[in-house]
Amino acid sequence: MSIVSREASTQTDKKPNHRPNKIKVSGVILVDKPQGMTSQQVVSKVKYLFKSPNHDSKKAGHTGTLDPMATGLLPICLGEATKFSHYQLDADKSYQATILLGSQTDTGDADGQVTAEAPIPLFDEVLLDKVAQQFLGAQQQIPPMYSALKKDGKKLYEYARAGIEVERPPRDIVLKAIDLQAIDEQQIQLTVTCSKGTYVRVLAEDIAKTIGTLGHLTALRRLQVGDFKIDEAIALADLEALPLEQRQIYLLPVDACVDIGIELILSSEQCERVQMGQRLNVIEQLTDKIKSYISAVIKQTLATDGKNTVSDQEVESASDDTEQVLVHEIPVDIRLIDEQGTFIGLGSVSLNGRLQPKKLIQL
């Protein structure tokens, strides 16, 4: 489901030359971001490319910023798809980068000014493998000053440009895969898969320090966001070269960002009720598969929140009545589809059968 909706009109048009309601552009497009553009500039360009006298593409946003120097995968949500963009904001991401050893810049990349230099020790693949292993797993990282994070309502890079350094609390990150390969005596290729919130610029600086020198990024390319891969993306220039009708072919469905693999089928009457914001009792529609999914998510959520570990048996049938009520009332997001198999949005459902509409599409 992509460009198929028309904005509803609540008043009868009495003007004979009134233009028909525009088609709302909704969907996800995977763009290969060019170097030198900000992520927001790419979003603005995409909005323009899907705009026409008959099409409304005003509502759009990306799913995670890439620095102007960086290239690669930038998923952009349009229209109703923006309601579900947070699933990709939280997704793991993969990058390939080039680290130039021997110098450090104020921004951590080639766009900045060199602030310090250091000799480069000899290194080989054995050393690089050893260094890579040291960075695997959960750790903390201090965000760079040149970032869009805010302190006291002001972005950090605004402080940095004014020559002010402020304290930044470390953030929890996880490096799930990392590989270091020597390009030459001064450059290293870094390939990494990491959790949300990881700054590859800071990682590159830390790797250089571990080797015994300084370093900064000279190239950065995003290869993957969640299940989206760079080879599925279209270059911005190629998209611009196409006529509007062919650009629309590259739009993925509005729910392309949703990584929930379980769904609940609603009747036409139930669809009407959730569209009005009404809660439903769907206890009889909860299959064993759905119940198992809800239980698994609850178990993971409780463990992540640092609460007492809950076993599968305890989730299904807690021995303590109070705990049982609590567990069976915990809501879990689920995909909602109509009887024709069309995605209509997300709802929160608990093991007691209560379904609360959450984010529904209006196409």
PDB file of all heavy atoms in Angstrom, residues 178-204:
ATOM      1  N   ILE A 178      32.381  -6.411  14.221  1.00  0.00           N
ATOM      2  CA  ILE A 178      33.373  -5.404  13.851  1.00  0.00           C
ATOM      3  C   ILE A 178      34.533  -6.080  13.136  1.00  0.00           C
ATOM      4  O   ILE A 178      34.974  -7.171  13.515  1.00  0.00           O
ATOM      5  CB  ILE A 178      33.865  -4.609  15.081  1.00  0.00           C
ATOM      6  CG1 ILE A 178      34.846  -3.512  14.662  1.00  0.00           C
ATOM      7  CG2 ILE A 178      34.460  -5.522  16.120  1.00  0.00           C
ATOM      8  CD1 ILE A 178      35.180  -2.539  15.774  1.00  0.00           C
ATOM      9  N   ASP A 179      35.011  -5.438  12.082  1.00  0.00           N
ATOM     10  CA  ASP A 179      36.134  -5.970  11.311  1.00  0.00           C
ATOM     11  C   ASP A 179      37.050  -4.814  10.930  1.00  0.00           C
ATOM     12  O   ASP A 179      36.578  -3.753  10.499  1.00  0.00           O
ATOM     13  CB  ASP A 179      35.633  -6.681  10.046  1.00  0.00           C
ATOM     14  CG  ASP A 179      36.769  -7.237   9.220  1.00  0.00           C
ATOM     15  OD1 ASP A 179      37.391  -8.222   9.653  1.00  0.00           O
ATOM     16  OD2 ASP A 179      37.044  -6.669   8.134  1.00  0.00           O
ATOM     17  N   LEU A 180      38.342  -5.013  11.107  1.00  0.00           N
ATOM     18  CA  LEU A 180      39.344  -4.007  10.754  1.00  0.00           C
ATOM     19  C   LEU A 180      40.300  -4.608   9.734  1.00  0.00           C
ATOM     20  O   LEU A 180      40.854  -5.685   9.954  1.00  0.00           O
ATOM     21  CB  LEU A 180      40.114  -3.551  11.992  1.00  0.00           C
ATOM     22  CG  LEU A 180      39.317  -2.832  13.091  1.00  0.00           C
ATOM     23  CD1 LEU A 180      40.200  -2.582  14.302  1.00  0.00           C
ATOM     24  CD2 LEU A 180      38.755  -1.518  12.560  1.00  0.00           C
ATOM     25  N   GLN A 181      40.486  -3.903   8.605  1.00  0.00           N
ATOM     26  CA  GLN A 181      41.389  -4.357   7.562  1.00  0.00           C
ATOM     27  C   GLN A 181      42.329  -3.218   7.176  1.00  0.00           C
ATOM     28  O   GLN A 181      41.893  -2.075   7.002  1.00  0.00           O
ATOM     29  CB  GLN A 181      40.607  -4.808   6.321  1.00  0.00           C
ATOM     30  CG  GLN A 181      39.694  -5.995   6.548  1.00  0.00           C
ATOM     31  CD  GLN A 181      40.434  -7.292   6.787  1.00  0.00           C
ATOM     32  OE1 GLN A 181      41.551  -7.476   6.283  1.00  0.00           O
ATOM     33  NE2 GLN A 181      39.832  -8.204   7.561  1.00  0.00           N
ATOM     34  N   ALA A 182      43.611  -3.530   7.036  1.00  0.00           N
ATOM     35  CA  ALA A 182      44.579  -2.517   6.632  1.00  0.00           C
ATOM     36  C   ALA A 182      44.415  -2.187   5.154  1.00  0.00           C
ATOM     37  O   ALA A 182      44.323  -3.087   4.304  1.00  0.00           O
ATOM     38  CB  ALA A 182      45.997  -3.012   6.906  1.00  0.00           C
ATOM     39  N   ILE A 183      44.335  -0.889   4.850  1.00  0.00           N
ATOM     40  CA  ILE A 183      44.306  -0.432   3.458  1.00  0.00           C
ATOM     41  C   ILE A 183      45.741  -0.153   3.004  1.00  0.00           C
ATOM     42  O   ILE A 183      46.165  -0.564   1.931  1.00  0.00           O
ATOM     43  CB  ILE A 183      43.444   0.829   3.312  1.00  0.00           C
ATOM     44  CG1 ILE A 183      41.992   0.521   3.706  1.00  0.00           C
ATOM     45  CG2 ILE A 183      43.521   1.372   1.883  1.00  0.00           C
ATOM     46  CD1 ILE A 183      41.081   1.742   3.709  1.00  0.00           C
ATOM     47  N   ASP A 184      46.481   0.569   3.837  1.00  0.00           N
ATOM     48  CA  ASP A 184      47.898   0.811   3.630  1.00  0.00           C
ATOM     49  C   ASP A 184      48.513   1.134   4.994  1.00  0.00           C
ATOM     50  O   ASP A 184      47.897   0.821   6.030  1.00  0.00           O
ATOM     51  CB  ASP A 184      48.142   1.936   2.611  1.00  0.00           C
ATOM     52  CG  ASP A 184      47.400   3.228   2.968  1.00  0.00           C
ATOM     53  OD1 ASP A 184      47.264   3.527   4.171  1.00  0.00           O
ATOM     54  OD2 ASP A 184      46.956   3.930   2.047  1.00  0.00           O
ATOM     55  N   GLU A 185      49.676   1.744   5.018  1.00  0.00           N
ATOM     56  CA  GLU A 185      50.360   2.006   6.288  1.00  0.00           C
ATOM     57  C   GLU A 185      49.708   3.130   7.100  1.00  0.00           C
ATOM     58  O   GLU A 185      50.035   3.328   8.268  1.00  0.00           O
ATOM     59  CB  GLU A 185      51.829   2.354   6.022  1.00  0.00           C
ATOM     60  CG  GLU A 185      52.629   1.190   5.440  1.00  0.00           C
ATOM     61  CD  GLU A 185      54.068   1.562   5.166  1.00  0.00           C
ATOM     62  OE1 GLU A 185      54.378   2.784   5.233  1.00  0.00           O
ATOM     63  OE2 GLU A 185      54.878   0.663   4.891  1.00  0.00           O
ATOM     64  N   GLN A 186      48.767   3.859   6.480  1.00  0.00           N
ATOM     65  CA  GLN A 186      48.134   4.979   7.164  1.00  0.00           C
ATOM     66  C   GLN A 186      46.613   4.849   7.305  1.00  0.00           C
ATOM     67  O   GLN A 186      46.011   5.597   8.062  1.00  0.00           O
ATOM     68  CB  GLN A 186      48.427   6.291   6.415  1.00  0.00           C
ATOM     69  CG  GLN A 186      49.869   6.738   6.454  1.00  0.00           C
ATOM     70  CD  GLN A 186      50.040   8.051   5.729  1.00  0.00           C
ATOM     71  OE1 GLN A 186      49.757   8.174   4.539  1.00  0.00           O
ATOM     72  NE2 GLN A 186      50.499   9.064   6.447  1.00  0.00           N
ATOM     73  N   GLN A 187      46.022   3.903   6.588  1.00  0.00           N
ATOM     74  CA  GLN A 187      44.564   3.823   6.547  1.00  0.00           C
ATOM     75  C   GLN A 187      44.053   2.435   6.922  1.00  0.00           C
ATOM     76  O   GLN A 187      44.681   1.426   6.577  1.00  0.00           O
ATOM     77  CB  GLN A 187      44.047   4.172   5.156  1.00  0.00           C
ATOM     78  CG  GLN A 187      44.368   5.586   4.710  1.00  0.00           C
ATOM     79  CD  GLN A 187      43.795   5.868   3.335  1.00  0.00           C
ATOM     80  OE1 GLN A 187      42.718   6.443   3.188  1.00  0.00           O
ATOM     81  NE2 GLN A 187      44.522   5.463   2.306  1.00  0.00           N
ATOM     82  N   ILE A 188      42.913   2.447   7.606  1.00  0.00           N
ATOM     83  CA  ILE A 188      42.253   1.205   8.005  1.00  0.00           C
ATOM     84  C   ILE A 188      40.799   1.253   7.537  1.00  0.00           C
ATOM     85  O   ILE A 188      40.133   2.292   7.637  1.00  0.00           O
ATOM     86  CB  ILE A 188      42.279   1.037   9.539  1.00  0.00           C
ATOM     87  CG1 ILE A 188      43.708   0.900  10.039  1.00  0.00           C
ATOM     88  CG2 ILE A 188      41.451  -0.165   9.978  1.00  0.00           C
ATOM     89  CD1 ILE A 188      43.809   0.928  11.562  1.00  0.00           C
ATOM     90  N   GLN A 189      40.314   0.132   7.058  1.00  0.00           N
ATOM     91  CA  GLN A 189      38.891   0.021   6.719  1.00  0.00           C
ATOM     92  C   GLN A 189      38.152  -0.608   7.894  1.00  0.00           C
ATOM     93  O   GLN A 189      38.517  -1.694   8.354  1.00  0.00           O
ATOM     94  CB  GLN A 189      38.676  -0.813   5.459  1.00  0.00           C
ATOM     95  CG  GLN A 189      37.194  -0.960   5.103  1.00  0.00           C
ATOM     96  CD  GLN A 189      36.987  -1.729   3.812  1.00  0.00           C
ATOM     97  OE1 GLN A 189      37.062  -1.177   2.725  1.00  0.00           O
ATOM     98  NE2 GLN A 189      36.732  -3.024   3.933  1.00  0.00           N
ATOM     99  N   LEU A 190      37.135   0.080   8.371  1.00  0.00           N
ATOM    100  CA  LEU A 190      36.323  -0.381   9.496  1.00  0.00           C
ATOM    101  C   LEU A 190      34.948  -0.786   8.980  1.00  0.00           C
ATOM    102  O   LEU A 190      34.285  -0.005   8.286  1.00  0.00           O
ATOM    103  CB  LEU A 190      36.179   0.741  10.528  1.00  0.00           C
ATOM    104  CG  LEU A 190      35.037   0.634  11.545  1.00  0.00           C
ATOM    105  CD1 LEU A 190      35.263  -0.538  12.490  1.00  0.00           C
ATOM    106  CD2 LEU A 190      34.890   1.940  12.332  1.00  0.00           C
ATOM    107  N   THR A 191      34.523  -1.989   9.298  1.00  0.00           N
ATOM    108  CA  THR A 191      33.159  -2.436   9.008  1.00  0.00           C
ATOM    109  C   THR A 191      32.524  -2.827  10.332  1.00  0.00           C
ATOM    110  O   THR A 191      33.085  -3.646  11.071  1.00  0.00           O
ATOM    111  CB  THR A 191      33.155  -3.641   8.044  1.00  0.00           C
ATOM    112  OG1 THR A 191      33.896  -3.306   6.867  1.00  0.00           O
ATOM    113  CG2 THR A 191      31.717  -3.998   7.648  1.00  0.00           C
ATOM    114  N   VAL A 192      31.365  -2.236  10.650  1.00  0.00           N
ATOM    115  CA  VAL A 192      30.779  -2.448  11.974  1.00  0.00           C
ATOM    116  C   VAL A 192      29.264  -2.520  11.896  1.00  0.00           C
ATOM    117  O   VAL A 192      28.632  -1.825  11.098  1.00  0.00           O
ATOM    118  CB  VAL A 192      31.215  -1.316  12.945  1.00  0.00           C
ATOM    119  CG1 VAL A 192      30.729   0.045  12.464  1.00  0.00           C
ATOM    120  CG2 VAL A 192      30.742  -1.583  14.355  1.00  0.00           C
ATOM    121  N   THR A 193      28.694  -3.392  12.710  1.00  0.00           N
ATOM    122  CA  THR A 193      27.251  -3.438  12.938  1.00  0.00           C
ATOM    123  C   THR A 193      27.033  -3.057  14.393  1.00  0.00           C
ATOM    124  O   THR A 193      27.606  -3.680  15.294  1.00  0.00           O
ATOM    125  CB  THR A 193      26.672  -4.840  12.669  1.00  0.00           C
ATOM    126  OG1 THR A 193      26.876  -5.166  11.294  1.00  0.00           O
ATOM    127  CG2 THR A 193      25.181  -4.875  12.975  1.00  0.00           C
ATOM    128  N   CYS A 194      26.217  -2.032  14.618  1.00  0.00           N
ATOM    129  CA  CYS A 194      26.110  -1.471  15.960  1.00  0.00           C
ATOM    130  C   CYS A 194      24.678  -1.102  16.313  1.00  0.00           C
ATOM    131  O   CYS A 194      23.803  -1.022  15.445  1.00  0.00           O
ATOM    132  CB  CYS A 194      27.001  -0.234  16.079  1.00  0.00           C
ATOM    133  SG  CYS A 194      26.786   0.962  14.742  1.00  0.00           S
ATOM    134  N   SER A 195      24.465  -0.850  17.575  1.00  0.00           N
ATOM    135  CA  SER A 195      23.146  -0.498  18.072  1.00  0.00           C
ATOM    136  C   SER A 195      22.870   0.984  17.852  1.00  0.00           C
ATOM    137  O   SER A 195      23.754   1.774  17.503  1.00  0.00           O
ATOM    138  CB  SER A 195      23.043  -0.826  19.561  1.00  0.00           C
ATOM    139  OG  SER A 195      23.947  -0.023  20.303  1.00  0.00           O
ATOM    140  N   LYS A 196      21.635   1.349  18.093  1.00  0.00           N
ATOM    141  CA  LYS A 196      21.205   2.743  18.032  1.00  0.00           C
ATOM    142  C   LYS A 196      22.100   3.617  18.917  1.00  0.00           C
ATOM    143  O   LYS A 196      22.502   3.216  19.998  1.00  0.00           O
ATOM    144  CB  LYS A 196      19.754   2.813  18.523  1.00  0.00           C
ATOM    145  CG  LYS A 196      19.250   4.186  18.882  1.00  0.00           C
ATOM    146  CD  LYS A 196      17.902   4.080  19.558  1.00  0.00           C
ATOM    147  CE  LYS A 196      17.431   5.420  20.075  1.00  0.00           C
ATOM    148  NZ  LYS A 196      16.153   5.332  20.807  1.00  0.00           N
ATOM    149  N   GLY A 197      22.413   4.819  18.427  1.00  0.00           N
ATOM    150  CA  GLY A 197      23.154   5.771  19.233  1.00  0.00           C
ATOM    151  C   GLY A 197      24.659   5.690  19.136  1.00  0.00           C
ATOM    152  O   GLY A 197      25.363   6.444  19.792  1.00  0.00           O
ATOM    153  N   THR A 198      25.178   4.778  18.304  1.00  0.00           N
ATOM    154  CA  THR A 198      26.625   4.642  18.153  1.00  0.00           C
ATOM    155  C   THR A 198      27.166   5.702  17.195  1.00  0.00           C
ATOM    156  O   THR A 198      26.620   5.890  16.105  1.00  0.00           O
ATOM    157  CB  THR A 198      26.995   3.248  17.612  1.00  0.00           C
ATOM    158  OG1 THR A 198      26.463   2.244  18.485  1.00  0.00           O
ATOM    159  CG2 THR A 198      28.499   3.084  17.505  1.00  0.00           C
ATOM    160  N   TYR A 199      28.226   6.380  17.604  1.00  0.00           N
ATOM    161  CA  TYR A 199      28.907   7.342  16.729  1.00  0.00           C
ATOM    162  C   TYR A 199      30.154   6.679  16.168  1.00  0.00           C
ATOM    163  O   TYR A 199      31.102   6.398  16.911  1.00  0.00           O
ATOM    164  CB  TYR A 199      29.260   8.611  17.495  1.00  0.00           C
ATOM    165  CG  TYR A 199      28.073   9.509  17.746  1.00  0.00           C
ATOM    166  CD1 TYR A 199      27.308   9.368  18.902  1.00  0.00           C
ATOM    167  CD2 TYR A 199      27.698  10.479  16.818  1.00  0.00           C
ATOM    168  CE1 TYR A 199      26.202  10.180  19.134  1.00  0.00           C
ATOM    169  CE2 TYR A 199      26.597  11.303  17.043  1.00  0.00           C
ATOM    170  CZ  TYR A 199      25.853  11.149  18.203  1.00  0.00           C
ATOM    171  OH  TYR A 199      24.754  11.947  18.426  1.00  0.00           O
ATOM    172  N   VAL A 200      30.163   6.444  14.857  1.00  0.00           N
ATOM    173  CA  VAL A 200      31.298   5.773  14.235  1.00  0.00           C
ATOM    174  C   VAL A 200      32.528   6.668  14.285  1.00  0.00           C
ATOM    175  O   VAL A 200      33.661   6.184  14.363  1.00  0.00           O
ATOM    176  CB  VAL A 200      30.953   5.372  12.783  1.00  0.00           C
ATOM    177  CG1 VAL A 200      32.121   4.617  12.149  1.00  0.00           C
ATOM    178  CG2 VAL A 200      29.701   4.499  12.752  1.00  0.00           C
ATOM    179  N   ARG A 201      32.340   7.983  14.264  1.00  0.00           N
ATOM    180  CA  ARG A 201      33.475   8.915  14.375  1.00  0.00           C
ATOM    181  C   ARG A 201      34.227   8.710  15.689  1.00  0.00           C
ATOM    182  O   ARG A 201      35.459   8.685  15.718  1.00  0.00           O
ATOM    183  CB  ARG A 201      32.970  10.357  14.296  1.00  0.00           C
ATOM    184  CG  ARG A 201      32.561  10.807  12.917  1.00  0.00           C
ATOM    185  CD  ARG A 201      32.007  12.221  12.962  1.00  0.00           C
ATOM    186  NE  ARG A 201      30.674  12.269  13.564  1.00  0.00           N
ATOM    187  CZ  ARG A 201      30.233  13.283  14.306  1.00  0.00           C
ATOM    188  NH1 ARG A 201      31.023  14.302  14.579  1.00  0.00           N
ATOM    189  NH2 ARG A 201      29.010  13.271  14.789  1.00  0.00           N
ATOM    190  N   VAL A 202      33.466   8.568  16.772  1.00  0.00           N
ATOM    191  CA  VAL A 202      34.083   8.351  18.079  1.00  0.00           C
ATOM    192  C   VAL A 202      34.739   6.981  18.131  1.00  0.00           C
ATOM    193  O   VAL A 202      35.845   6.826  18.671  1.00  0.00           O
ATOM    194  CB  VAL A 202      33.031   8.484  19.201  1.00  0.00           C
ATOM    195  CG1 VAL A 202      33.639   8.156  20.566  1.00  0.00           C
ATOM    196  CG2 VAL A 202      32.442   9.890  19.209  1.00  0.00           C
ATOM    197  N   LEU A 203      34.089   5.987  17.560  1.00  0.00           N
ATOM    198  CA  LEU A 203      34.660   4.642  17.513  1.00  0.00           C
ATOM    199  C   LEU A 203      35.993   4.655  16.773  1.00  0.00           C
ATOM    200  O   LEU A 203      36.968   4.025  17.203  1.00  0.00           O
ATOM    201  CB  LEU A 203      33.680   3.683  16.836  1.00  0.00           C
ATOM    202  CG  LEU A 203      34.161   2.253  16.607  1.00  0.00           C
ATOM    203  CD1 LEU A 203      34.494   1.573  17.930  1.00  0.00           C
ATOM    204  CD2 LEU A 203      33.099   1.447  15.846  1.00  0.00           C
ATOM    205  N   ALA A 204      36.059   5.384  15.655  1.00  0.00           N
ATOM    206  CA  ALA A 204      37.298   5.464  14.878  1.00  0.00           C
ATOM    207  C   ALA A 204      38.421   6.101  15.703  1.00  0.00           C
ATOM    208  O   ALA A 204      39.572   5.634  15.666  1.00  0.00           O
ATOM    209  CB  ALA A 204      37.058   6.277  13.613  1.00  0.00           C
TER     210      ALA A 204
END
